[in-house]
Amino acid sequence: MSSNNESIGKTLTVVVSLCLVCAIIVSFASVQLRPLQQANKTKDIQSNILSAAGISKVDDVFETFNTNIEARVVDMSTGEFVDTDPSTFDFEKSKYDAALSYSLKEKGIEDIAGIQRATTQAPVYISKKQDGSTDTIILPIQGYGLWGIMYGFLALESDGETVKSINFYKHNETPGLGGEIQNPQWTAKWEGKELPIQIVKGTAGSDEHKIDGLSGATLTSNGVEYAVDFWTGEHGFGPFLAKVREGALN
Ligand SMILES: Cc1cc2nc3c(=O)[nH]c(=O)nc-3n(C[C@H](O)[C@H](O)[C@H](O)COP(=O)(O)O)c2cc1C
């Protein structure tokens, strides 16, 4: 015969109480850890921007970023800086913000990067030389690979034409195939190349516009080429880069 403690009512009370306590602990931890998660995300992005600018092995990411990088937000259609706060501008999420974005399809713009929506503003990051002149212009880019959107940074020399570096900090490509977009041996091939970039199957040789494709990952390679094309083109940072080429940042 079951004792009182084994009654269905008591068992249910224990189960429900346990669920409630766990739910409260998880919610509390999630709320408490949110600022820490956001700080870590910002640190990660800043460290990628520093690395794109050629500043690596950094002890204090936040301080080095603030000392070396000028972050601004650009109006994509005019190429002019706007007053939007770059520190709170989320490049990944802004295309889902109706006030900041538009549907490429609805505007009849070819969606070469497979991103569906583009933004009317985006952040740019500028690293300076000792004498205060522009050293590197770092542009956030995103484009569809084989499995999802790849997010990264394209760094250009102050001429707005020559590639200094490219890096991807978030993607879903297959390790060993498309995932090789993060391989330093491949990204090193970008240094010194000139826009527009074409990623070719096999070996690009010394052509200043061509980069070797990733073997077994043509779809990802195409995705990278289209992402760079879109973000350096007229619906991306094209108008801003046109001003840079005229010497606006010097
Ligand atoms: C499990 C699996 C994962 C793959 N992952 C990728 C990938 O991340 N990127 C990519 O471009 N191709 C990937 N592929 C290969 C593509 O399906 C396609 O064959 C390839 O992009 C063609 O490139 P290639 O012409 O250089 O061989 C994958 C294939 C398989 C079976």
Side-chain angles (χ1 to χ4, degrees):
M1 205 175 92
S2 68
S3 74
N4 266 355
N5 278 345
E6 289 167 0
S7 70
I8 290 186
K10 281 198 172 173
T11 307
L12 278 176
T13 309
V14 170
V15 168
V16 170
S17 314
L18 202 62
C19 287
L20 255 171
V21 170
C22 290
I24 289 168
I25 291 173
V26 170
S27 316
F28 183 76
S30 160
V31 171
Q32 289 297 306
L33 292 176
R34 201 166 293 149
L36 196 65
Q37 285 170 344
Q38 187 53 45
N40 277 336
K41 188 179 167 193
T42 304
K43 187 177 169 188
D44 187 43
I45 300 262
Q46 290 183 344
S47 128
N48 278 293
I49 293 167
L50 287 171
S51 141
I55 307 167
S56 46
K57 296 202 180 90
V58 173
D59 286 335
D60 187 334
V61 171
F62 183 70
E63 198 200 310
T64 313
F65 184 87
N66 286 330
T67 317
N68 293 277
I69 306 288
E70 183 190 353
R72 299 296 300 267
V73 175
V74 164
D75 178 292
M76 304 308 259
S77 59
T78 63
E80 301 279 354
F81 290 135
V82 287
D83 285 337
T84 311
D85 180 2
S87 68
T88 51
F89 196 106
D90 191 325
F91 178 69
E92 291 178 30
K93 289 189 183 151
S94 56
K95 71 176 187 187
Y96 303 110
D97 180 341
L100 273 179
S101 67
Y102 59 92
S103 154
L104 290 164
K105 194 175 170 188
E106 279 169 21
K107 284 209 173 186
I109 297 169
E110 196 188 354
D111 183 11
I112 53 170
I115 51 176
Q116 295 178 11
R117 301 183 66 79
T119 52
T120 52
Q121 298 182 358
V124 294
Y125 305 92
I126 300 155
S127 78
K128 302 276 182 189
K129 290 185 187 144
Q130 294 282 3
D131 63 6
S133 62
T134 299
D135 184 42
T136 313
I137 300 151
I138 300 129
L139 310 173
I141 59 170
Q142 53 175 278
Y144 209 87
L146 175 61
W147 303 113
I149 304 269
M150 308 173 286
Y151 297 91
F153 291 103
L154 175 73
L156 300 175
E157 303 284 354
S158 57
D159 62 3
E161 298 273 8
T162 314
V163 177
K164 184 161 180 176
S165 69
I166 190 165
N167 72 36
F168 288 92
Y169 63 89
K170 188 168 150 187
H171 66 82
N172 295 315
E173 304 308 285
T174 314
L177 292 170
E180 291 295 289
I181 52 171
Q182 286 185 308
N183 185 332
Q185 281 178 1
W186 187 68
T187 54
K189 295 178 195 281
W190 286 71
E191 194 180 345
K193 296 285 179 176
E194 301 282 325
L195 297 177
I197 297 293
Q198 200 190 344
I199 303 182
V200 297
K201 262 198 168 203
T203 313
S206 58
D207 189 306
E208 60 181 8
H209 295 286
K210 293 186 179 166
I211 309 267
D212 301 353
L214 292 165
S215 63
T218 298
L219 299 173
T220 304
S221 304
N222 290 345
V224 172
E225 179 182 312
Y226 299 147
V228 170
D229 254 16
F230 181 85
W231 289 100
T232 55
E234 61 172 315
H235 303 296
F237 293 102
F240 169 69
L241 291 177
K243 288 189 186 301
V244 170
R245 288 166 197 152
E246 286 163 8
L249 292 186
N250 293 327

